[in-house]
Amino acid sequence: MTQTSQAPAVEQPSKPNRGRVHRAWFVAAVTFVTIIGAAAFRSVPGLLIDPLHNEFDWSRGTIGAAVSVNLALYGLTAPFAAALMDRFGIRRVVAVALTVIALGSGLTVWMTAAWQLMLCWGLLVGLGSGSMALAFAATVTNRWFTERRGLVSGILTAASASGQLIFLPLLSWIIDRYDWRPAAVTVALAALAVVPFVWLLLHDHPADVGQKPYGATEFVPKPAPVVGAARRAVSVLFSAARTGPFWLLAGTFAICGASTNGLIQTHFVPASHDHGMPITAAASLLAVIGIFDVVGTIASGWFTDRFDARRLLAVYYALRGVSLLFLPLLLAPSVHPPMIFFIVFYGLDWVATVPPTLALCREQYGEDSAIVFGWVLASHQVGAALVAFLGGVARDTFGSYDVVWYASGALCAVAALMALVIRRRAGDVPATV
C-alpha cells in the first residue's frame, strides 16, 4: 500500500492552546454576520411594493406574488442547502448563495417587466437567502460545537430573526430619501462584501484546521462528502415524515411562523395605523422587537442547554398566546407604557422557540437533524405565508384585526400542548439543572 492511501496529516489534532479563542467561535461570528445579511436581503422586497407600483403601475398583487415566491423559497431551499453543504462544503455553498443574491438584487435596477421582478427578487434572492437560513446555522452548530450548542443556536437564530427588523429602517430610509434602486444596489454590494470573509474564515469542518469541535474530548475526522444532495434531502423528509415527532415539530413551528413573521411582522403596522398610530412609530416598535429578540433568543439557547426543550417550547408558546390575547386592548393612537411592555415581552419571545426546536431535531434525528430542521423551517414559512394572507382577508371581512389576534393566541395554546406530547427517544437523558 502506498503512503498516499493513508489519512491526510490535517486530520491530526493540534495541541490545545489555552490562551487562544477556539476557531469555532470565529466560524460562529462569520455565520452570525452572514445570517444577518441573509435576513435583511430577504426582507427588502416588502419595501418595494409601493415604489414599484408607483413607477411601473404594476398591481400590488403582482408585486406580492414575487414577495410570496421569495418567502416560500426562503423556507423550501433550506433542507436542500443543508444537503449541499454536506456534499460541497459550507464555504462554497454560502459564497455561491451570496453571489446569487448580489446578482438578483443588482439586476433589478434595469428591469422593465413584472416577470423580471419575479425572477430577480423572487427566485434568485429567495434561493440565495434560503441557502443561508437557519439550516445553515444548524450545520455550523452541529459540526463545530459539542458544548454550548443551545447558546450558539440562540445567537445564530437571533441573527436571522433580527436582521430583517434591524436593517429595515435603514433600507426604508434609503428608499424614502433617494429611490428603490440605491437600496437594491446596497443589498448587492453588501452581499459581495461578505464573500471574502466567508471564503477566508468559514472553514467547513474543525478537522480542516486540525482542531476538535468546541467541547469535544476526542478529535473528529472530517466525513466524506455526501453525494446526491437533492435525493438525500427528499429521502430524509420521507424518513422523518414516518415519525410522530416530525409532524409535531413541523406543526408547532408552523404556528411559530404564523404568530411572528406572518402576523406581527406583516400586520402589526397596519393594525396600529387602524387605531391612529403613525406608521413610523409602529415601524419603530417593530425594530424594538428585533432588539429584544436578540436577548431573548440567546437566553433561550442558554436555557436549552440546561432544561427540557419540550417544556421550554410549551412555556414560550403559552406566553406568546397570552400576550396576543391582550394586544387588541393595547393598540392606541400613541405609544403608552402597556404597549412598551408588550413589545419588550413579545420581543423576548419572538423566536425563542428555535433553539429548543433545533435541539429536539438533533435529539430525534442525529446526523440528519440539519436537513430535518430545514424541512421544519419550511413549515414555519408556510405558516407565515398563510397568516400573512388570511390576516388581510380577515381585516377586509371584519373591518379590524381583532379576530386575527384572538385566533393566533388560540393557535399558540395548541402549539404548547403539541410540544408537551413530543416523545423522548429511549436512552436520552433530560437536560435539567
Side-chain angles (χ1 to χ4, degrees), residues 127-280:
L127 287 173
S129 58
S131 298
M132 299 181 297
L134 293 178
F136 166 40
T139 301
V140 170
T141 303
N142 290 347
R143 291 188 182 184
W144 281 90
F145 293 86
T146 58
E147 291 183 357
R148 303 290 190 269
R149 280 179 168 175
L151 176 63
V152 175
S153 298
I155 294 172
L156 298 182
T157 300
S160 178
S162 302
Q164 54 191 328
L165 297 175
I166 293 173
F167 278 86
L168 276 177
L170 172 62
L171 295 171
S172 62
W173 176 83
I174 293 175
I175 293 173
D176 183 64
R177 181 74 179 269
Y178 300 102
D179 188 20
W180 65 268
R181 288 179 177 84
V185 172
T186 299
V187 169
L189 293 177
L192 289 177
V194 179
V195 172
F197 295 97
V198 167
W199 195 257
L200 293 174
L201 300 176
L202 193 61
H203 294 283
D204 294 328
H205 195 276
D208 290 340
V209 291
Q211 290 192 345
K212 305 173 185 177
Y214 180 83
T217 57
E218 297 181 358
F219 184 75
V220 179
K222 184 176 180 178
V226 180
V227 299
R231 183 171 62 253
R232 184 183 177 215
V234 175
S235 65
V236 168
L237 171 63
F238 286 155
S239 176
R242 291 195 292 267
T243 66
F246 173 80
W247 293 106
L248 291 170
L249 289 168
T252 55
F253 221 42
I255 294 174
C256 178
S259 56
T260 52
N261 298 78
L263 181 67
I264 295 296
Q265 184 179 331
T266 304
H267 296 295
F268 179 79
V269 171
S272 300
H273 192 57
D274 284 347
H275 288 76
M277 182 181 294
I279 293 177
T280 52

Side-chain angles (χ1 to χ4, degrees), residues 27 56 76 89 93 99 129 132 138 141 210 257 290 300 320 370 402 409 413 422 430-431:
V27 173
F56 297 105
L76 294 174
V93 173
T99 304
S129 58
M132 299 181 297
T141 303
S300 176
R320 183 184 300 176
D402 287 358
I422 298 175

Side-chain angles (χ1 to χ4, degrees), residues 332-416:
S334 59
V335 179
H336 47 86
M339 175 57 79
I340 294 295
F341 178 80
F342 168 84
I343 292 297
V344 173
F345 184 87
Y346 190 89
L348 292 172
D349 195 13
W350 177 264
V351 283
T353 55
V354 174
T357 300
L358 179 54
L360 289 173
C361 286
R362 191 159 46 236
E363 171 190 306
Q364 296 286 338
Y365 303 104
E367 294 182 355
D368 292 331
S369 62
I371 298 177
V372 173
F373 182 73
W375 288 113
V376 172
L377 176 62
S379 73
H380 182 282
Q381 295 304 108
V382 171
L386 284 174
V387 170
F389 170 70
L390 293 176
V393 172
R395 170 63 178 83
D396 293 336
T397 303
F398 300 105
S400 76
Y401 281 100
D402 287 358
V403 67
V404 181
W405 310 128
Y406 296 140
S408 298
L411 282 175
C412 288
V414 173

Side-chain angles (χ1 to χ4, degrees), residues 58 104 107-108 110-122:
W58 296 337
L107 287 177
T108 56
W110 292 289
M111 68 182 177
T112 57
W115 68 265
Q116 295 167 344
L117 174 67
M118 190 79 68
L119 173 65
C120 294
W121 277 109

